[in-house]
Amino acid sequence: MLSQNHLGRIPRADFTGEREYIGAKKCARRTKPLRPRTILRRVAISVLTAITVLIVVFLTYTSAYSWAIPRAEAALAGSDDALVFYPSGKVQCETYAAQLLAIAQRGTDVFLVRTPLNFAFLDIDAADRVIDSGAYHYLHWCVGEHSLGGTMATVYAGLRPDDYTEVVIEGDNHTQFGDYGTQDGGGTMIVSAEDQQEQTAGAVAKFMQAA
């Protein structure tokens, strides 16, 4: 039987190097380059987070704005009366802007309707889109028109005889009711377009006040 004395001192196994190797291996795994897909995912998350923060900051900033004072709110309230206007045929509806502005400045809110291909007979009930929309609550509605638009507005009113009264405004010149230059059969210019449109605005205001 061998004793320790016979064998001498048995060296212990030195596992230090193995442990260092394992640690180095683990460290190598941790520093392994990221996959392109992982990088793109992290970049996308960072970008989306930044955008979200910017949106929140922007909405917070824009939500704090100056509010209208009572004087401005009173101006936005408009009047109790409104006019729905049908333009003439083959005429850009914006040509009536000056005339309708003159009417609005005398206390009547004005709605200028657009009709398909600038022909009112293609949309006779265009006024209903405004009057029956439920967005407005006027005491009195008036339907105005010019030329071919007048014919269609008359048809519109004729279908509602209990609700409308016809009033004809005699103008000096057919084309001066709007601003679209000369036109065959437009009549002779007696007063300027500005004067004629002011006279028309006055007649409309007088009519609306009597309504």
Side-chain angles (χ1 to χ4, degrees):
M1 180 174 180
L2 295 176
S3 65
Q4 186 174 356
N5 292 331
H6 290 93
L7 295 177
R9 186 174 181 179
I10 301 175
R12 293 180 300 170
D14 188 357
F15 296 101
T16 304
E18 180 66 19
R19 286 198 297 269
E20 290 178 353
Y21 171 75
I22 295 173
K25 189 173 183 180
K26 290 182 179 180
C27 182
R29 290 179 180 177
R30 292 176 183 175
T31 59
K32 185 178 180 180
L34 297 175
R35 296 180 180 179
R37 183 178 300 178
T38 303
I39 296 175
L40 290 176
R41 185 184 300 112
R42 293 183 179 181
V43 171
I45 292 174
S46 299
V47 171
L48 289 176
T49 301
I51 292 175
T52 302
V53 171
L54 289 175
I55 292 175
V56 171
V57 172
F58 177 76
L59 292 178
T60 302
Y61 173 77
T62 56
S63 62
Y65 54 88
S66 300
W67 290 72
I69 62 176
R71 181 171 177 268
E73 293 177 347
L76 289 173
S79 67
D80 293 331
D81 307 319
L83 167 69
V84 181
F85 187 82
Y86 283 74
S88 179
K90 297 184 66 177
V91 174
Q92 185 182 18
C93 62
E94 285 81 1
T95 61
Y96 298 97
Q99 174 66 88
L100 300 182
L101 176 61
I103 294 173
Q105 290 174 336
R106 290 175 179 260
T108 299
D109 292 346
V110 181
F111 295 85
L112 175 60
V113 295
R114 295 180 182 273
T115 54
L117 303 177
N118 295 315
F119 279 114
F121 65 79
L122 295 177
D123 193 7
I124 297 176
D125 294 327
D128 287 341
R129 296 200 304 270
V130 180
I131 298 174
D132 297 336
S133 67
Y136 312 102
H137 304 283
Y138 293 97
L139 297 180
H140 306 106
W141 285 97
C142 176
V143 177
E145 65 280 328
H146 178 234
S147 192
L148 180 62
T151 303
M152 297 304 103
T154 301
V155 173
Y156 175 87
L159 298 175
R160 302 159 179 81
D162 297 333
D163 299 328
Y164 289 89
T165 300
E166 181 179 6
V167 174
V168 179
I169 299 175
E170 296 293 343
D172 295 302
N173 183 279
H174 184 79
T175 57
Q176 287 185 165
F177 196 86
D179 292 290
Y180 55 92
T182 59
Q183 188 179 49
D184 292 338
T188 303
M189 182 183 297
I190 301 175
V191 298
S192 66
E194 292 78 8
D195 289 341
Q196 179 176 325
Q197 290 172 7
E198 281 297 321
Q199 293 176 19
T200 302
V204 171
K206 183 178 179 180
F207 170 74
M208 297 301 292
Q209 290 171 3

